[in-house]
Coordinates of all heavy atoms in Angstrom, one line a residue:
F1 N 108.6 93.9 125.1 CA 109.5 93.1 125.9 C 109.0 92.7 127.3 O 109.2 91.5 127.8 CB 110.8 94.0 126.2 CG 111.6 94.4 125.0 CD1 111.7 95.7 124.5 CD2 112.2 93.4 124.2 CE1 112.4 95.9 123.4 CE2 112.9 93.6 123.1 CZ 113.0 94.9 122.7
I2 N 108.2 93.5 128.0 CA 107.7 93.1 129.2 C 106.8 91.9 129.2 O 106.8 91.0 129.9 CB 107.0 94.3 129.9 CG1 108.0 95.4 130.2 CG2 106.2 93.9 131.2 CD1 107.5 96.7 130.8
Y3 N 105.8 92.0 128.1 CA 104.9 90.9 127.9 C 105.7 89.6 127.5 O 105.2 88.5 127.9 CB 103.8 91.2 127.0 CG 102.8 92.2 127.4 CD1 102.7 93.5 126.9 CD2 102.1 92.0 128.5 CE1 101.9 94.4 127.4 CE2 101.2 92.8 129.1 CZ 101.1 94.1 128.4 OH 100.2 95.1 129.0
A4 N 106.8 89.7 126.9 CA 107.5 88.5 126.5 C 108.1 87.9 127.7 O 108.2 86.7 127.9 CB 108.6 88.8 125.4
G5 N 108.6 89.0 128.6 CA 109.1 88.4 129.9 C 108.1 87.7 130.8 O 108.4 86.6 131.4
I6 N 106.8 88.2 130.7 CA 105.8 87.6 131.5 C 105.4 86.3 130.8 O 105.3 85.2 131.6 CB 104.6 88.5 131.5 CG1 104.9 89.7 132.4 CG2 103.3 87.7 132.1 CD1 103.8 90.7 132.3
A7 N 105.4 86.0 129.5 CA 105.3 84.8 128.9 C 106.3 83.8 129.2 O 106.0 82.7 129.4 CB 105.1 85.0 127.4
G8 N 107.5 84.3 129.2 CA 108.5 83.4 129.6 C 108.5 82.9 131.1 O 108.7 81.6 131.4
K9 N 108.0 83.7 131.9 CA 107.8 83.3 133.4 C 106.7 82.2 133.4 O 106.7 81.3 134.1 CB 107.4 84.6 134.2 CG 107.3 84.3 135.6 CD 108.7 84.0 136.2 CE 108.5 84.0 137.8 NZ 109.7 83.6 138.4
L10 N 105.5 82.5 132.6 CA 104.5 81.6 132.6 C 104.9 80.2 132.0 O 104.4 79.2 132.6 CB 103.4 82.1 131.8 CG 102.4 83.1 132.4 CD1 101.3 83.6 131.4 CD2 101.6 82.4 133.5
T11 N 105.8 80.2 131.0 CA 106.4 79.1 130.5 C 107.2 78.3 131.5 O 107.0 77.0 131.6 CB 107.2 79.3 129.2 OG1 106.4 80.0 128.2 CG2 107.7 78.1 128.6
S12 N 107.9 79.0 132.3 CA 108.7 78.3 133.4 C 107.8 77.7 134.4 O 108.1 76.9 135.2 CB 109.8 79.2 133.9 OG 109.3 80.3 134.7
M13 N 106.6 78.4 134.7 CA 105.6 78.0 135.7 C 104.7 76.9 135.2 O 103.8 76.5 135.9 CB 104.8 79.2 136.2 CG 105.6 80.3 136.9 SD 104.7 81.8 137.1 CE 103.0 81.3 137.5
G14 N 105.0 76.4 134.0 CA 104.1 75.4 133.4 C 102.8 75.8 132.9 O 101.8 75.2 133.0
Y15 N 102.7 77.2 132.6 CA 101.6 77.9 132.1 C 100.4 77.9 133.1 O 99.3 77.9 132.8 CB 100.9 77.2 130.9 CG 102.0 77.1 129.7 CD1 102.7 76.0 129.3 CD2 102.3 78.3 129.0 CE1 103.7 76.0 128.4 CE2 103.3 78.3 128.0 CZ 104.0 77.2 127.7 OH 104.8 77.2 126.7
D16 N 100.7 77.8 134.4 CA 99.8 77.8 135.5 C 99.6 79.2 136.1 O 100.5 79.8 136.8 CB 100.3 77.0 136.6 CG 99.3 76.9 137.8 OD1 98.1 77.5 137.6 OD2 99.6 76.4 138.9
S17 N 98.8 80.0 135.5 CA 98.5 81.4 135.9 C 97.4 81.5 137.0 O 97.1 82.7 137.4 CB 98.1 82.4 134.8 OG 96.9 81.9 134.1
I18 N 96.9 80.4 137.5 CA 95.9 80.4 138.5 C 96.4 80.4 139.9 O 96.0 81.2 140.7 CB 95.0 79.2 138.3 CG1 94.3 79.2 136.8 CG2 93.8 79.2 139.3 CD1 93.4 80.5 136.5
T19 N 97.3 79.6 140.2 CA 97.9 79.4 141.5 C 98.9 80.4 141.9 O 99.2 80.6 143.1 CB 98.6 78.1 141.8 OG1 99.5 77.7 140.7 CG2 97.4 76.9 141.6
A20 N 99.6 81.0 140.9 CA 100.6 82.0 141.2 C 100.6 83.1 140.0 O 100.2 82.8 138.9 CB 102.0 81.3 141.2
R21 N 101.0 84.3 140.4 CA 101.1 85.3 139.4 C 102.4 85.4 138.8 O 103.5 85.3 139.4 CB 100.7 86.7 140.0 CG 100.7 87.9 139.2 CD 100.1 89.1 139.8 NE 100.1 90.1 138.8 CZ 99.4 91.2 139.0 NH1 98.8 91.3 140.1 NH2 99.5 92.1 138.1
A22 N 102.5 85.5 137.4 CA 103.7 85.6 136.7 C 104.2 87.2 136.9 O 103.5 88.0 136.5 CB 103.6 85.3 135.2
R23 N 105.4 87.3 137.5 CA 105.9 88.6 137.7 C 107.2 88.9 137.1 O 107.9 87.8 136.9 CB 106.0 88.9 139.3 CG 104.7 88.8 139.9 CD 104.8 89.1 141.3 NE 103.7 89.0 142.1 CZ 102.9 89.9 142.6 NH1 103.3 91.2 142.3 NH2 101.8 89.8 143.3
T24 N 107.6 90.0 136.8 CA 108.9 90.3 136.3 C 109.6 91.4 137.2 O 108.8 92.3 137.8 CB 108.9 91.0 134.8 OG1 108.1 92.1 134.9 CG2 108.5 89.9 133.8
S25 N 110.7 91.3 137.5 CA 111.4 92.2 138.4 C 111.6 93.6 137.9 O 111.6 93.8 136.6 CB 112.8 91.7 138.9 OG 113.7 91.7 137.8
K26 N 111.9 94.6 138.8 CA 112.1 95.9 138.3 C 113.4 96.0 137.6 O 113.4 96.7 136.5 CB 112.3 96.8 139.6 CG 112.4 98.3 139.2 CD 112.5 99.2 140.4 CE 111.1 99.4 141.0 NZ 111.2 100.4 142.1
A27 N 114.4 95.2 137.9 CA 115.6 95.1 137.1 C 115.4 94.7 135.6 O 116.0 95.3 134.7 CB 116.7 94.3 137.8
Q28 N 114.5 93.7 135.5 CA 114.2 93.2 134.2 C 113.6 94.3 133.3 O 113.9 94.5 132.2 CB 113.4 92.0 134.2 CG 114.0 90.7 134.7 CD 113.0 89.6 134.8 OE1 111.9 89.7 135.5 NE2 113.3 88.5 134.2
K29 N 112.6 95.0 133.9 CA 111.9 96.1 133.2 C 112.8 97.1 132.9 O 112.8 97.8 131.8 CB 110.8 96.6 134.0 CG 109.7 95.6 134.3 CD 108.5 96.0 135.2 CE 107.6 94.9 135.5 NZ 106.7 95.2 136.7
I30 N 113.7 97.5 133.7 CA 114.7 98.6 133.4 C 115.7 98.1 132.3 O 116.1 98.8 131.4 CB 115.6 99.0 134.7 CG1 114.6 99.7 135.7 CG2 116.8 99.7 134.3 CD1 115.2 100.0 137.0
G31 N 116.0 96.9 132.3 CA 116.9 96.2 131.2 C 116.1 96.3 130.0 O 116.7 96.7 128.9
W32 N 114.8 95.9 130.0 CA 114.1 96.0 128.7 C 113.8 97.4 128.1 O 113.9 97.7 127.0 CB 112.7 95.3 128.9 CG 112.8 93.8 129.1 CD1 113.7 93.0 128.5 CD2 112.0 93.1 129.9 NE1 113.5 91.7 128.9 CE2 112.5 91.7 129.9 CE3 111.0 93.3 130.9 CZ2 112.1 90.6 130.6 CZ3 110.5 92.3 131.5 CH2 110.9 90.9 131.4
L33 N 113.8 98.4 129.1 CA 113.7 99.8 128.7 C 114.9 100.3 128.0 O 114.9 100.9 126.9 CB 113.3 100.6 129.9 CG 113.3 102.1 129.6 CD1 112.1 102.5 128.8 CD2 113.1 102.9 131.1
G34 N 116.1 99.9 128.5 CA 117.4 100.1 128.0 C 117.5 99.5 126.7 O 118.0 100.1 125.7
Q35 N 117.1 98.4 126.5 CA 117.1 97.6 125.3 C 116.2 98.3 124.2 O 116.7 98.5 123.1 CB 116.8 96.1 125.4 CG 117.0 95.3 124.2 CD 116.5 93.9 124.5 OE1 116.1 93.5 125.5 NE2 116.6 93.0 123.4
S36 N 115.1 98.6 124.6 CA 114.2 99.4 123.7 C 114.8 100.7 123.2 O 114.7 101.1 122.1 CB 112.9 99.7 124.4 OG 112.0 100.3 123.7
L37 N 115.4 101.6 124.2 CA 116.0 102.8 123.9 C 117.2 102.5 122.9 O 117.3 103.4 122.0 CB 116.5 103.4 125.2 CG 115.3 104.1 126.1 CD1 116.0 104.6 127.4 CD2 114.5 105.1 125.3
M38 N 118.0 101.6 123.1 CA 119.1 101.3 122.2 C 118.5 101.0 120.8 O 119.1 101.4 119.8 CB 119.9 100.1 122.6 CG 120.8 100.6 123.8 SD 122.0 99.3 124.3 CE 122.8 98.8 122.9
Q39 N 117.5 100.1 120.7 CA 116.9 99.8 119.4 C 116.4 101.0 118.7 O 116.6 101.2 117.5 CB 115.8 98.7 119.6 CG 116.4 97.3 119.8 CD 115.4 96.3 119.8 OE1 114.2 96.6 119.9 NE2 115.7 94.9 119.8
S40 N 115.8 101.9 119.4 CA 115.2 103.1 118.9 C 116.3 104.0 118.3 O 116.2 104.6 117.2 CB 114.3 103.8 120.0 OG 113.2 103.1 120.4
G41 N 117.3 104.1 119.1 CA 118.5 105.1 118.7 C 119.2 104.4 117.4 O 119.6 105.1 116.6
I42 N 119.4 103.1 117.5 CA 120.0 102.5 116.4 C 119.1 102.7 115.1 O 119.7 102.9 114.0 CB 120.3 101.0 116.6 CG1 121.4 100.9 117.6 CG2 120.6 100.3 115.3 CD1 121.6 99.5 118.2
S43 N 117.8 102.6 115.2 CA 117.0 102.6 114.0 C 116.9 104.0 113.4 O 116.6 104.3 112.3 CB 115.5 102.2 114.4 OG 114.9 103.1 115.3
M44 N 117.2 105.1 114.3 CA 117.3 106.4 113.8 C 118.6 106.7 113.1 O 118.6 107.5 112.2 CB 117.0 107.4 115.0 CG 115.7 107.3 115.6 SD 115.5 108.5 117.0 CE 115.5 110.0 116.2
V45 N 119.6 106.0 113.4 CA 121.0 106.3 112.9 C 121.2 105.4 111.7 O 121.7 105.8 110.7 CB 122.1 105.9 113.9 CG1 123.5 106.0 113.3 CG2 121.9 106.9 115.1
M46 N 120.7 104.3 111.7 CA 121.0 103.2 110.6 C 120.1 103.6 109.4 O 118.9 104.1 109.6 CB 120.7 101.8 111.0 CG 121.7 101.3 112.2 SD 123.4 101.3 111.6 CE 123.4 100.0 110.5
P47 N 120.5 103.2 108.2 CA 119.6 103.5 107.1 C 118.3 102.6 107.1 O 118.3 101.5 107.8 CB 120.5 103.2 105.8 CG 121.6 102.3 106.4 CD 121.7 102.7 107.8
Q48 N 117.3 102.9 106.5 CA 116.1 102.2 106.4 C 116.2 100.9 105.6 O 117.1 100.8 104.6 CB 114.9 103.0 106.0 CG 114.6 104.1 106.9 CD 113.2 104.6 106.6 OE1 112.6 104.3 105.7 NE2 112.7 105.6 107.4
S49 N 115.4 99.9 105.8 CA 115.4 98.6 105.1 C 115.2 98.9 103.5 O 114.3 99.6 103.2 CB 114.4 97.7 105.7 OG 114.2 96.6 104.9
A50 N 116.0 98.2 102.8 CA 115.7 98.3 101.3 C 114.4 97.6 101.0 O 113.9 97.8 99.9 CB 117.0 97.7 100.7
V51 N 114.0 96.7 101.8 CA 112.7 96.0 101.5 C 111.5 97.0 101.3 O 110.7 96.7 100.5 CB 112.4 95.0 102.7 CG1 111.0 94.5 102.5 CG2 113.6 93.9 102.8
L52 N 111.6 98.1 102.0 CA 110.6 99.0 101.8 C 110.4 99.6 100.4 O 109.4 100.1 99.9 CB 110.8 100.2 102.8 CG 110.5 99.9 104.2 CD1 110.9 101.2 105.1 CD2 109.1 99.5 104.6
Y53 N 111.6 99.6 99.7 CA 111.8 100.3 98.3 C 112.0 99.2 97.3 O 112.0 99.6 96.1 CB 113.0 101.2 98.4 CG 112.8 102.4 99.5 CD1 113.6 102.2 100.5 CD2 111.8 103.3 99.3 CE1 113.4 103.1 101.6 CE2 111.7 104.3 100.4 CZ 112.5 104.2 101.5 OH 112.3 105.1 102.5
A54 N 111.8 98.0 97.7 CA 112.1 97.0 96.6 C 110.8 96.7 95.8 O 109.7 97.2 96.2 CB 112.3 95.6 97.4
K55 N 111.0 96.1 94.7 CA 109.8 95.7 93.9 C 108.9 94.8 94.7 O 109.5 93.9 95.3 CB 110.2 95.2 92.5 CG 110.9 96.2 91.7 CD 111.1 95.5 90.3 CE 110.0 95.8 89.4 NZ 110.4 95.3 88.1
P56 N 107.7 94.9 94.5 CA 106.8 93.9 95.2 C 106.9 92.5 94.6 O 107.2 92.3 93.5 CB 105.4 94.4 95.1 CG 105.4 95.2 93.8 CD 106.9 95.8 93.7
L57 N 106.7 91.5 95.6 CA 106.7 90.1 95.2 C 105.6 89.9 94.1 O 104.6 90.5 94.2 CB 106.5 89.2 96.3 CG 107.6 89.3 97.4 CD1 107.2 88.4 98.6 CD2 108.9 88.8 96.9
P58 N 105.9 88.9 93.3 CA 104.8 88.6 92.2 C 103.5 88.3 92.8 O 102.4 88.6 92.2 CB 105.4 87.5 91.4 CG 106.8 87.6 91.6 CD 107.0 88.1 93.1
E59 N 103.3 87.7 94.0 CA 102.2 87.3 94.6 C 101.2 88.5 94.9 O 100.0 88.3 95.1 CB 102.4 86.4 95.8 CG 103.1 85.2 95.6 CD 104.6 85.3 95.7 OE1 105.1 86.2 96.2 OE2 105.3 84.5 95.2
V60 N 102.0 89.6 95.2 CA 101.1 90.8 95.7 C 101.2 92.0 94.7 O 100.7 93.1 95.0 CB 101.5 91.2 97.1 CG1 101.2 90.2 98.1 CG2 103.0 91.6 97.2
A61 N 102.0 91.8 93.6 CA 102.1 92.9 92.6 C 100.8 93.4 92.2 O 100.7 94.6 92.1 CB 103.0 92.4 91.5
F62 N 99.8 92.6 92.0 CA 98.5 93.0 91.5 C 97.9 94.0 92.5 O 97.3 95.0 92.1 CB 97.6 91.8 91.1 CG 97.0 91.2 92.3 CD1 95.8 91.4 92.7 CD2 97.9 90.2 92.9 CE1 95.3 90.7 93.8 CE2 97.4 89.5 94.0 CZ 96.0 89.8 94.4
L63 N 98.0 93.7 93.7 CA 97.5 94.6 94.8 C 98.2 96.1 94.9 O 97.5 97.0 94.9 CB 97.7 94.0 96.3 CG 96.8 92.8 96.4 CD1 97.2 92.1 97.8 CD2 95.3 93.1 96.5
V64 N 99.5 96.0 94.6 CA 100.3 97.2 94.7 C 99.9 98.2 93.5 O 99.7 99.3 93.5 CB 101.8 97.0 94.7 CG1 102.5 98.3 94.5 CG2 102.2 96.3 96.0
D65 N 99.6 97.4 92.3 CA 99.4 98.1 91.1 C 97.9 98.7 91.2 O 97.7 99.8 90.8 CB 99.3 97.2 89.9 CG 100.8 96.8 89.6 OD1 101.7 97.5 90.0 OD2 101.0 95.7 88.9
A66 N 97.0 97.9 91.8 CA 95.7 98.4 92.0 C 95.6 99.6 92.9 O 94.9 100.6 92.7 CB 94.8 97.3 92.5
A67 N 96.4 99.6 94.0 CA 96.4 100.7 94.9 C 97.0 102.0 94.2 O 96.5 103.1 94.4 CB 97.2 100.4 96.1
A68 N 97.9 101.7 93.3 CA 98.6 102.8 92.7 C 97.7 103.5 91.7 O 97.8 104.7 91.4 CB 100.0 102.4 92.0
R69 N 96.9 102.7 91.1 CA 95.8 103.1 90.0 C 94.7 103.8 90.6 O 94.0 104.6 89.9 CB 95.4 102.0 89.2 CG 96.4 101.6 88.1 CD 95.9 100.7 87.1 NE 95.0 99.7 87.6 CZ 95.4 98.4 87.8 NH1 96.7 98.2 87.6 NH2 94.7 97.4 88.3
N70 N 94.4 103.6 91.9 CA 93.2 104.1 92.5 C 93.3 105.6 92.6 O 93.9 106.2 93.3 CB 93.1 103.5 93.9 CG 91.8 103.9 94.5 OD1 90.9 104.5 93.9 ND2 91.6 103.5 95.8
T71 N 92.4 106.2 91.7 CA 92.3 107.7 91.7 C 91.1 108.2 92.2 O 90.7 109.4 91.9 CB 92.5 108.2 90.1 OG1 91.6 107.6 89.4 CG2 94.0 107.8 89.7
R72 N 90.3 107.4 93.0 CA 89.1 107.9 93.5 C 89.4 109.0 94.6 O 90.3 109.0 95.3 CB 88.4 106.7 94.3 CG 87.1 107.1 94.8 CD 86.5 105.9 95.5 NE 87.3 105.5 96.6 CZ 86.9 104.5 97.5 NH1 85.9 103.8 97.2 NH2 87.5 104.3 98.6
P73 N 88.6 110.1 94.4 CA 88.9 111.3 95.2 C 88.7 110.8 96.7 O 87.8 110.0 97.1 CB 87.8 112.3 94.8 CG 86.7 111.5 94.1 CD 87.4 110.3 93.6
A74 N 89.3 111.6 97.5 CA 89.1 111.4 99.1 C 87.7 111.8 99.5 O 87.1 112.6 98.8 CB 90.2 112.2 99.8
R75 N 87.3 111.3 100.6 CA 86.1 111.6 101.0 C 85.9 113.0 101.5 O 84.9 113.7 101.2 CB 85.6 110.7 102.2 CG 85.4 109.3 101.9 CD 85.2 108.5 103.2 NE 84.0 108.9 104.0 CZ 83.6 108.5 105.2 NH1 84.4 107.6 105.7 NH2 82.6 108.9 105.8
S76 N 87.0 113.6 102.0 CA 87.0 115.0 102.2 C 86.9 115.9 101.0 O 86.2 116.9 101.1 CB 88.1 115.4 103.0 OG 89.3 115.2 102.3
D77 N 87.5 115.5 100.0 CA 87.3 116.3 98.7 C 86.0 116.3 98.3 O 85.4 117.2 97.8 CB 88.1 115.7 97.5 CG 89.6 115.8 97.8 OD1 90.1 116.7 98.6 OD2 90.5 115.1 97.2
S78 N 85.2 115.1 98.4 CA 83.8 115.0 97.9 C 83.0 115.9 98.9 O 82.1 116.6 98.3 CB 83.3 113.6 98.1 OG 84.0 112.8 97.2
L79 N 83.2 115.9 100.2 CA 82.5 116.7 101.1 C 82.7 118.3 100.7 O 81.8 119.0 100.7 CB 82.9 116.6 102.5 CG 82.4 117.4 103.6 CD1 80.9 117.3 103.7 CD2 83.1 117.2 104.9
F80 N 84.0 118.7 100.4 CA 84.2 120.0 100.1 C 83.6 120.4 98.8 O 83.0 121.7 98.7 CB 85.7 120.3 100.0 CG 86.4 120.3 101.3 CD1 87.6 119.7 101.5 CD2 85.8 120.9 102.5 CE1 88.2 119.6 102.8 CE2 86.4 120.8 103.8 CZ 87.7 120.2 103.8
E81 N 83.5 119.5 97.8 CA 82.8 119.8 96.6 C 81.3 120.1 96.8 O 80.7 121.0 96.3 CB 83.1 118.7 95.5 CG 84.5 118.7 95.0 CD 84.7 117.5 94.2 OE1 83.8 116.7 93.8 OE2 85.8 117.3 93.8
A82 N 80.6 119.1 97.7 CA 79.3 119.4 97.9 C 79.0 120.6 98.7 O 78.0 121.3 98.3 CB 78.8 118.1 98.7
L83 N 79.8 121.0 99.7 CA 79.6 122.2 100.4 C 79.8 123.4 99.5 O 79.1 124.3 99.6 CB 80.6 122.3 101.6 CG 80.4 121.3 102.8 CD1 81.4 121.4 103.7 CD2 79.0 121.6 103.3
A84 N 80.7 123.4 98.5 CA 80.9 124.4 97.7 C 79.7 124.6 96.7 O 79.3 125.8 96.5 CB 82.2 124.3 96.8
A85 N 79.3 123.5 96.3 CA 78.0 123.5 95.4 C 76.8 124.2 96.2 O 76.1 124.9 95.6 CB 77.7 122.2 94.9
L86 N 76.6 123.7 97.5 CA 75.6 124.3 98.3 C 75.7 125.7 98.4 O 74.8 126.6 98.3 CB 75.5 123.7 99.6 CG 74.9 122.2 99.7 CD1 75.1 121.5 101.0 CD2 73.4 122.3 99.2
E87 N 76.9 126.3 98.7 CA 77.2 127.6 98.9 C 76.9 128.5 97.6 O 76.4 129.5 97.6 CB 78.7 127.9 99.4 CG 79.0 129.3 99.5 CD 78.1 130.1 100.6 OE1 77.5 129.4 101.4 OE2 78.2 131.3 100.6
E88 N 77.3 127.9 96.4 CA 77.1 128.5 95.1 C 75.6 128.7 95.0 O 75.1 129.7 94.5 CB 77.7 127.7 94.0 CG 77.7 128.4 92.7 CD 78.4 127.5 91.7 OE1 79.4 126.9 92.0 OE2 78.0 127.5 90.5
R89 N 74.9 127.6 95.3 CA 73.4 127.7 95.1 C 72.7 128.6 95.9 O 71.8 129.5 95.6 CB 72.8 126.2 95.3 CG 71.2 126.3 95.2 CD 70.8 124.9 95.3 NE 69.3 124.9 95.3 CZ 68.5 123.8 95.4 NH1 69.1 122.7 95.8 NH2 67.2 124.0 95.5
R90 N 73.2 128.7 97.3 CA 72.7 129.7 98.2 C 72.9 131.1 97.7 O 72.0 132.0 97.7 CB 73.4 129.5 99.6 CG 72.8 130.4 100.7 CD 73.6 130.4 101.9 NE 74.9 131.0 101.8 CZ 75.1 132.3 101.7 NH1 74.1 133.2 102.0 NH2 76.5 132.9 101.7
Q91 N 74.2 131.4 97.2 CA 74.5 132.7 96.7 C 73.6 133.2 95.4 O 73.1 134.2 95.3 CB 75.9 132.9 96.5 CG 76.8 132.9 97.7 CD 78.3 133.0 97.3 OE1 78.6 133.1 96.2 NE2 79.1 132.9 98.4
S92 N 73.4 132.1 94.6 CA 72.6 132.3 93.4 C 71.2 132.5 93.8 O 70.5 133.6 93.2 CB 72.6 131.0 92.5 OG 71.7 131.2 91.4
D93 N 70.6 131.9 94.7 CA 69.2 132.1 95.2 C 69.2 133.5 95.9 O 68.1 134.2 95.6 CB 68.8 131.0 96.2 CG 68.6 129.6 95.7 OD1 68.6 129.5 94.3 OD2 68.5 128.6 96.4
R94 N 70.1 133.9 96.7 CA 70.1 135.2 97.3 C 70.2 136.3 96.2 O 69.5 137.3 96.3 CB 71.3 135.3 98.2 CG 71.3 136.5 99.0 CD 72.4 136.5 100.0 NE 72.2 137.7 100.9 CZ 73.2 138.4 101.2 NH1 74.6 138.0 100.9 NH2 73.1 139.6 102.0
A95 N 71.0 136.1 95.2 CA 71.1 137.1 94.2 C 69.7 137.2 93.4 O 69.3 138.2 93.1 CB 72.1 136.7 93.2
T96 N 69.1 136.0 93.2 CA 67.9 136.1 92.6 C 66.8 136.8 93.3 O 66.0 137.6 92.8 CB 67.4 134.6 92.3 OG1 68.3 133.9 91.4 CG2 66.0 134.6 91.5
M97 N 66.8 136.5 94.7 CA 65.8 137.2 95.6 C 66.1 138.7 95.6 O 65.2 139.5 95.6 CB 65.9 136.6 97.0 CG 65.4 135.2 97.0 SD 65.5 134.4 98.6 CE 64.9 135.6 99.7
I98 N 67.4 139.1 95.7 CA 67.7 140.5 95.8 C 67.4 141.2 94.4 O 66.8 142.4 94.3 CB 69.2 140.7 96.1 CG1 69.5 140.3 97.5 CG2 69.6 142.1 95.8 CD1 70.9 140.3 97.9
G99 N 67.6 140.6 93.3 CA 67.2 141.0 92.0 C 65.8 141.2 91.8 O 65.3 142.2 91.2
G100 N 65.0 140.3 92.4 CA 63.5 140.3 92.4 C 63.0 141.5 93.1 O 62.1 142.3 92.7
Q101 N 63.7 141.8 94.3 CA 63.2 142.9 95.1 C 63.5 144.3 94.4 O 62.7 145.2 94.5 CB 63.9 142.9 96.5 CG 63.5 141.7 97.4 CD 64.1 141.6 98.7 OE1 65.2 142.4 98.8 NE2 63.8 140.7 99.6
V102 N 64.6 144.4 93.7 CA 65.1 145.6 93.1 C 64.1 145.9 91.9 O 63.7 147.0 91.7 CB 66.5 145.4 92.5 CG1 66.9 146.5 91.6 CG2 67.5 145.4 93.7
G103 N 63.6 144.8 91.3 CA 62.6 145.0 90.3 C 61.3 145.5 90.7 O 60.6 146.0 89.8
L104 N 60.9 145.2 92.0 CA 59.6 145.6 92.4 C 59.6 147.2 92.6 O 58.6 147.7 92.7 CB 59.3 144.9 93.8 CG 59.1 143.4 93.5 CD1 58.9 142.8 94.9 CD2 57.9 143.2 92.8
R105 N 60.7 147.7 92.9 CA 60.7 149.2 93.2 C 60.3 150.1 92.2 O 60.2 150.1 91.0 CB 62.2 149.7 93.7 CG 62.5 149.1 95.1 CD 63.7 149.6 95.4 NE 64.1 149.0 96.7 CZ 65.3 149.2 97.2 NH1 66.2 150.1 96.7 NH2 65.6 148.5 98.4

């Protein structure tokens, strides 16, 4: 809201931001703060837009379908799998070393 007010002021100044500074008053800022709070409150009370749950438009349906089919594992899953494999190998190597020492006795 504040930047829109500054843009309005610049428009009324003929887009001349060099010779004068575009300012908004404290009262305007408080008014925009109140307006913002009201919009936030209303959005919490009112139901959400049905557009969020509507079927996608035909122009973008292929993108939505592709995103829904994407079953590639997350990067964190791949990292955890690699770390688990390394730990398993370390334990196997350790068991082999311990087993070799026991055989020497």
Side-chain angles (χ1 to χ4, degrees):
F1 292 116
I2 293 173
Y3 289 115
I6 293 171
K9 187 71 171 175
L10 276 172
T11 303
S12 68
M13 293 169 38
Y15 302 103
D16 181 15
S17 63
I18 304 298
T19 58
R21 184 172 179 161
R23 298 179 186 258
T24 57
S25 70
K26 187 179 278 189
Q28 285 175 312
K29 291 174 187 166
I30 291 172
W32 292 323
L33 177 63
Q35 186 178 1
S36 176
L37 289 172
M38 282 185 50
Q39 283 184 348
S40 296
I42 289 172
S43 69
M44 292 177 75
V45 175
M46 297 298 289
Q48 292 194 358
S49 171
V51 174
L52 294 175
Y53 305 103
K55 291 182 96 176
L57 296 173
E59 297 88 21
V60 295
F62 73 98
L63 291 171
V64 174
D65 293 340
R69 281 193 311 265
N70 187 4
T71 57
R72 186 175 68 178
R75 290 176 61 190
S76 61
D77 292 341
S78 300
L79 173 65
F80 290 137
E81 288 172 9
L83 291 173
L86 285 171
E87 178 62 18
E88 185 177 326
R89 181 175 174 189
R90 185 190 69 79
Q91 289 179 5
S92 174
D93 290 347
R94 185 170 185 228
T96 302
M97 288 174 53
I98 292 172
Q101 290 176 354
V102 171
L104 292 175
R105 290 185 187 175

